[in-house]
Amino acid sequence: MNQNRPIILLTEPEGIADAAVYLLEERGYKVIKEINIENSTYDISGLFIRTYTMVSANYLSQFPNLKYIIRAGVGLDNVDVPECDRRHVSIYNSPGANSDSVSEYVLCVALYMLRQIEPQRQQVMSGNWREIKYMGKGISGQTFGFVGCGNAGRSL
């Protein structure tokens, strides 16, 4: 086994599909799921992150030879992009990966608001039966519009 394989650290392993890990290993990467930074002998080449790993300048300083970050998701709000640029760390994300989930959420919230579920819930929780003013509307015959139809908008 080649001991000089590039090492990728999964910072949130519970959210990364086994198939993704398998593909990385099949292509010659060593994938690890946790390390003790203070006592580590690993030379981390890449980070595989999701939503909750905050890749700040301070966090990046723990990985002096980092070459890339793989973001299993769309946004980069948890990554200090200018600092990565300064350190010549490439960033890869997954545009479109969560389009169906986002579109389902938008549809759910739209129906929630259209049907006025929250005011009805508050009425019932306070011991009152719902009032007619909170009956809401059905979706039939309504006009539904989008602003900025990207992947999620097309899915919806």
Side-chain angles (χ1 to χ4, degrees):
M1 180 185 285
N2 182 356
Q3 296 300 319
N4 295 322
R5 297 184 300 160
I7 300 172
I8 297 178
L9 171 63
L10 280 88
T11 64
E12 299 170 59
E14 64 284 347
I16 305 298
D18 291 339
V21 173
Y22 174 79
L23 287 172
L24 289 167
E25 290 173 337
E26 186 179 65
R27 285 163 176 77
Y29 295 93
K30 178 180 174 102
V31 179
I32 60 175
K33 297 183 179 181
E34 59 183 77
I35 61 171
N36 180 339
I37 297 296
E38 292 79 31
N39 299 322
S40 175
T41 58
Y42 291 115
D43 183 15
I44 305 298
S45 298
L47 296 174
F48 199 155
I49 67 170
R50 285 190 41 96
T51 303
Y52 303 105
T53 302
M54 301 306 293
V55 183
S56 63
N58 186 49
Y59 188 81
L60 286 166
S61 69
Q62 300 174 81
F63 309 102
N65 297 316
L66 193 69
K67 295 175 182 56
Y68 43 87
I69 296 170
I70 304 166
R71 164 73 162 99
V74 178
L76 297 176
D77 52 308
N78 58 328
V79 177
D80 186 337
V81 175
E83 184 64 19
C84 287
D85 287 345
R86 190 184 75 70
R87 293 174 185 250
H88 306 288
V89 174
S90 299
I91 306 167
Y92 304 93
N93 66 346
S94 308
N98 65 343
S99 297
D100 289 343
S101 295
V102 170
S103 62
E104 290 168 3
Y105 177 76
V106 168
L107 181 58
C108 178
V109 171
L111 290 171
Y112 188 84
M113 293 172 64
L114 188 63
R115 286 297 198 169
Q116 296 193 47
I117 301 295
E118 185 58 26
Q120 290 183 51
R121 187 191 71 80
Q122 288 176 8
Q123 285 292 312
V124 171
M125 295 303 290
S126 66
N128 302 314
W129 188 238
R130 59 185 177 181
E131 295 180 28
I132 192 131
K133 67 181 179 179
Y134 297 127
M135 289 300 292
K137 299 177 181 178
I139 197 168
S140 179
Q142 300 297 318
T143 301
F144 199 70
F146 302 97
V147 175
C149 289
N151 291 326
R154 280 191 295 277
S155 175
L156 183 57

